[in-house]
Amino acid sequence: MVKVAVLGYGTVGSGIVEVLKTNQELIEKRVGEKIDVKYVLDLREFPGDPYEDLIVHDVDVIMNDPEVSIVCEAMGGIGAAYQFTKMALEKGKNVCTPNKAMVAEYGPKLMKLARDNGCNYLFEASCGGGIPIIRPLQTALLQEKIVAIKGILNGTTNYILTRMEKEGADFDAVLKDAQALGYAEANPEADVEGHDACRKIAILSSLAYGNTVNYKDVYTEGITKITVEDFAYAKKLGATIKLLGMSQEVDGNYYAMVSPFMLKNDSPLYSVNDVMNAILVTGNTLGDTMYYGAGAGKLPTASAVVADVIECAMKQGQLIPCTWNEGDLSLGQMENDKRHFFVRAKSELSQIESVFGKVEAVDAGIDGEMGFVTEVMSEKEFASKAEALGSVVSRIRFEN
Ligand code: NDP
Ligand code: HSE
């Protein structure tokens, strides 16, 4: 019998208990051993909850119980959760977590601590919610040199953007719905300002390219400036707007960014709506593969954590290898990145073309401004032309 403790009985923590209980027999059959939750740590009581008798408030009960071999950290944050994770690993207990803030900040350090203590630190649910993405990178894609990753990596923002597009919904009201559905971070600024997607692309890039991409080095823009008017222009262009996280290797140099992008309807990411996420991984011999599923939410995220629990249970006493090494990977500047830009400006077409040259004009019926798509140009060139025009209201990058 494998005994598990869950730290944090919130959205994901309660989901982990539910998945393990709902599928207990099936899991036992597949693993060859029963996996049972022995403790759930939380600050609160949960009167009437079917698992209220599992609740403990003292983490030492878990840490000092040699029967517990797997700890699921679902508290979030990098405060007490970090201390508890270290305590568990130092005791030789495997830790499985959806906590991407922790993985982006301390991933290599915690993986080393795990190795030094003969156990594992696994984090399948930290990227893409319920989508299996880290395990494919660690198994089915080991033969590939990964040259690019591009994806919709945040469920909350994709849910907000989808409802803005389909219903013309108000940003703040939809964000409240995303919070009520359990999709958003404790501080939803992490979602809407792009920090969560930034941490995820840093984690995926570290796994794909082999050394640590510091999330603080990733250029990041969120969705707070996107408006329903932008969607009116996008519609005219046969496009939509998505928050993308991307990284790539070009001639031995690495680049990463998070930003809203306009996507044409032939993009494989165009139809990824609501809380769904999708991640496109390009291998040098394989080409593109895409991974799709619920990017946030109780049971999908919990399912991914339980996948880690099962791997630990099936490989007891073994160190599970990981492609993410401790060295740093430096990122190149993005000023030479080239693409089309969609722009809204308060100028006449003739003025716009005198600065930008040939553009594709877009009329979404919005008074006092016009929209246009530039030719392909570098970030640097775009910035200097936008400054020269002097009337740019906003710009959105176009996906290549
Ligand atoms: P919740 O806030 O719903 O759950 C966290 C739980 O941990 C709460 O019950 C909280 O109690 C409890 N907790 C906090 N601090 C302590 C402590 N010191 N001791 C004991 N219990 C504590 O968060 P989520 O479940 O949404 O998120 C958990 C983690 O999963 C985060 O890292 C998040 O980024 C990640 N994640 C979440 C996803 C989602 O869809 N929600 C998807 C993917 C990853 P209290 O409420 O009293 O503070
Ligand atoms: N807040 C995150 C999101 C949770 O919306 O994607 C899943 O990581």
Side-chain angles (χ1 to χ4, degrees):
M1 168 101 76
V2 176
K3 296 280 185 186
V4 174
V6 176
L7 311 184
Y9 199 50
T11 305
V12 181
S14 62
I16 294 169
V17 178
E18 192 174 328
V19 172
L20 281 168
K21 295 285 181 186
T22 305
N23 288 346
Q24 192 160 43
E25 273 179 34
L26 178 100
I27 292 171
E28 182 177 354
K29 215 163 148 187
R30 289 176 178 169
V31 175
E33 211 172 345
K34 189 169 180 181
I35 300 182
D36 210 11
V37 181
K38 185 162 185 184
Y39 304 109
V40 175
L41 180 85
D42 205 281
L43 301 166
R44 289 171 287 150
E45 301 293 345
F46 293 85
D49 185 278
Y51 308 112
E52 69 174 307
D53 55 331
L54 301 178
I55 299 284
V56 294
H57 304 296
D58 180 1
V59 74
D60 288 335
V61 172
I62 294 166
M63 298 303 161
N64 294 330
D65 186 337
E67 253 196 348
V68 174
S69 59
I70 303 172
V71 171
C72 299
E73 185 275 293
M75 286 162 43
I78 55 172
Y82 181 52
Q83 300 310 324
F84 296 174
T85 299
K86 281 199 301 183
M87 282 164 79
L89 296 174
E90 279 161 3
K91 294 263 184 187
K93 298 180 194 297
N94 298 289
V95 175
C96 308
T97 190
N99 187 343
K100 53 268 154 141
M102 180 87 78
V103 178
E105 190 72 46
Y106 297 119
K109 202 169 164 175
L110 291 171
M111 281 189 276
K112 180 173 185 312
L113 185 62
R115 274 195 307 278
D116 291 348
N117 288 282
C119 56
N120 297 290
Y121 182 63
L122 301 186
F123 40 89
E124 176 64 69
S126 66
C127 297
I131 305 174
I133 177 62
I134 291 179
R135 198 153 281 104
L137 284 170
Q138 298 307 301
T139 55
L141 296 177
L142 279 180
Q143 75 288 6
E144 285 296 309
K145 176 181 177 188
I146 306 299
V147 291
I149 302 174
K150 176 159 64 178
I152 296 170
L153 297 173
N154 182 271
T156 301
T157 47
N158 208 39
Y159 176 82
I160 294 172
L161 291 174
T162 303
R163 289 200 47 198
M164 285 172 79
E165 176 180 38
K166 310 275 183 228
E167 303 162 26
D170 172 68
F171 187 101
D172 293 326
V174 195
L175 172 57
K176 284 204 175 76
D177 290 346
Q179 288 176 290
L181 289 163
Y183 301 157
E185 294 304 301
N187 177 358
E189 204 179 296
D191 297 293
V192 297
E193 295 294 356
H195 306 311
D196 180 73
C198 162
R199 293 186 178 106
K200 289 167 177 167
I201 195 66
I203 294 168
L204 292 174
S205 302
S206 302
L207 290 162
Y209 308 131
N211 282 317
T212 304
V213 172
N214 186 335
Y215 71 92
K216 292 173 190 148
D217 295 340
V218 178
Y219 173 85
T220 299
E221 260 180 51
I223 63 160
T224 50
K225 295 191 183 116
I226 302 295
T227 63
V228 286
E229 287 78 19
D230 293 324
F231 280 105
Y233 283 108
K235 193 172 177 191
K236 289 277 170 187
L237 287 161
T240 187
I241 303 165
K242 300 287 183 193
L243 182 70
L244 299 185
M246 52 175 71
S247 69
Q248 60 177 331
E249 188 250 80
V250 182
D251 300 331
N253 297 310
Y254 293 88
Y255 303 89
M257 76 185 299
V258 171
S259 169
F261 276 80
M262 283 233 184
L263 277 64
K264 286 273 185 161
N265 57 14
D266 57 358
S267 166
L269 297 170
Y270 175 89
S271 302
V272 178
N273 287 323
D274 299 310
V275 74
M276 305 310 272
N277 282 188
I279 305 158
L280 202 58
V281 177
T282 310
N284 64 333
T285 68
L286 174 68
D288 289 344
T289 53
M290 192 157 112
Y291 307 83
Y292 172 86
K298 175 175 165 163
L299 292 177
T301 308
S303 171
V305 179
V306 172
D308 285 343
V309 170
I310 289 177
E311 185 162 16
C312 291
M314 292 177 95
K315 295 181 179 168
Q316 288 176 64
Q318 291 179 40
L319 294 184
I320 298 161
C322 182
T323 53
W324 181 348
N325 300 303
E326 271 176 273
D328 292 333
L329 190 89
S330 56
L331 295 177
Q333 297 295 315
M334 54 180 272
E335 59 183 21
N336 296 322
D337 264 22
K338 288 191 174 165
R339 53 177 59 86
H340 296 279
F341 293 83
F342 165 74
V343 188
R344 289 168 61 186
K346 291 181 183 298
S347 296
E348 300 294 325
L349 184 59
S350 57
Q351 294 170 292
I352 290 166
E353 290 200 320
S354 71
V355 176
F356 277 90
K358 189 171 166 295
V359 298
E360 178 188 354
V362 201
D363 181 4
I366 295 164
D367 285 344
E369 64 172 58
M370 68 171 298
F372 63 95
V373 181
T374 69
E375 293 284 274
V376 170
M377 61 183 65
S378 69
E379 290 275 343
K380 193 174 168 184
E381 198 183 346
F382 174 79
S384 82
K385 286 185 193 301
E387 195 182 348
L389 184 64
S391 65
V392 170
V393 177
S394 64
R395 64 97 184 86
I396 301 175
R397 297 178 171 89
F398 240 101
E399 187 202 25
N400 289 326

